[in-house]
Amino acid sequence: MSTDVRVTPPIAVIGDPLDCLTALRSAPEALAVDSEHDVTCGHRAVVIGVDITQLRNRRQLRTVLRDTELQCVTLAGRLRRLEHVVLAVSDSPVAADESLLRTCDAVARRIHSRLEQAYARTIIITAVLIGRCDDGARLAERLNARVRQRECLDGGIALRWTDIARAPIGDLGTNAYL
């Protein structure tokens, strides 16, 4: 007698199919799905690939990030177990690295606040600039560790790949908060 019990992996990977997310997509903890509407109630975390390499101006960048914010609102409204959202953001030809980091940090904090106010619960938002990522396996490891964190001091934060390659996201988030 065979029982085929399927367990939903805790991480859903949606959005743009960025090369650095290939290792995460194939990890047993993750499931690649086509859109936020395909994410099920069993997922506790969502990683959203955000490809901004083809953008021509900052207005397009704001539009893409606003659309990503709306995806997060949709997900939080549907998924009562959702604890983490990670935005994996590629390099941008329209914003310098430091400017993009500040923009993503502001977006992460805004999404966190918006979801907390709308749904009266904490959902951790982490934006990672992965444009210079040269180790997809380490990125997958760092993202897996982040979404396993139950409590975080930082509700919304943006970090560079070069930072998280050296230290876990939780450590960097705690240091930034303090």
Side-chain angles (χ1 to χ4, degrees):
M1 185 178 198
S2 170
T3 56
D4 184 17
V5 178
R6 295 184 184 197
V7 177
T8 303
I11 304 170
V13 183
I14 65 173
D16 298 320
L18 302 173
D19 289 342
C20 278
L21 295 178
T22 301
L24 180 64
R25 276 192 209 91
S26 62
E29 311 74 32
L31 177 66
V33 294
D34 292 331
S35 77
E36 71 265 13
H37 303 292
D38 297 324
V39 179
T40 67
C41 294
H43 294 105
R44 289 190 334 267
V46 177
V47 175
I48 303 173
V50 183
D51 186 358
I52 57 174
T53 57
Q54 301 301 315
L55 302 183
R56 293 192 178 117
N57 56 53
R58 292 189 62 78
R59 187 171 74 218
Q60 289 177 332
L61 175 61
R62 284 191 301 274
T63 299
V64 167
L65 294 175
R66 203 172 309 115
D67 291 346
T68 303
E69 182 176 345
L70 293 176
Q71 279 184 313
C72 293
V73 170
T74 300
L75 289 164
R78 290 184 44 242
L79 307 174
R80 293 289 161 217
R81 294 182 62 206
L82 186 64
E83 298 172 356
H84 288 271
V85 175
V86 176
L87 310 177
V89 183
S90 68
D91 268 343
S92 169
V94 297
D97 187 53
E98 199 59 39
S99 174
L100 182 60
L101 183 65
R102 282 193 309 273
T103 299
C104 287
D105 193 63
V107 167
R109 292 173 193 273
R110 184 175 65 237
I111 293 170
H112 171 74
S113 295
R114 182 175 178 179
L115 298 181
E116 200 167 51
Q117 290 171 359
Y119 300 108
R121 61 192 172 112
T122 297
I123 298 172
I124 307 303
I125 309 297
T126 307
V128 179
L129 306 183
I130 62 168
R132 292 186 176 87
C133 179
D134 58 356
D135 189 347
R138 166 127 334 143
L139 177 63
E141 173 189 308
R142 295 293 196 222
L143 296 182
N144 276 320
R146 177 62 165 179
V147 301
R148 283 192 307 265
Q149 284 184 281
R150 293 287 184 196
E151 302 277 333
C152 297
L153 292 175
D154 56 284
I157 190 168
L159 301 162
R160 292 181 192 88
W161 157 250
T162 52
D163 296 328
I164 69 168
R166 294 187 305 262
I169 296 171
D171 292 353
L172 295 168
T174 300
N175 289 341
Y177 178 79
L178 298 175

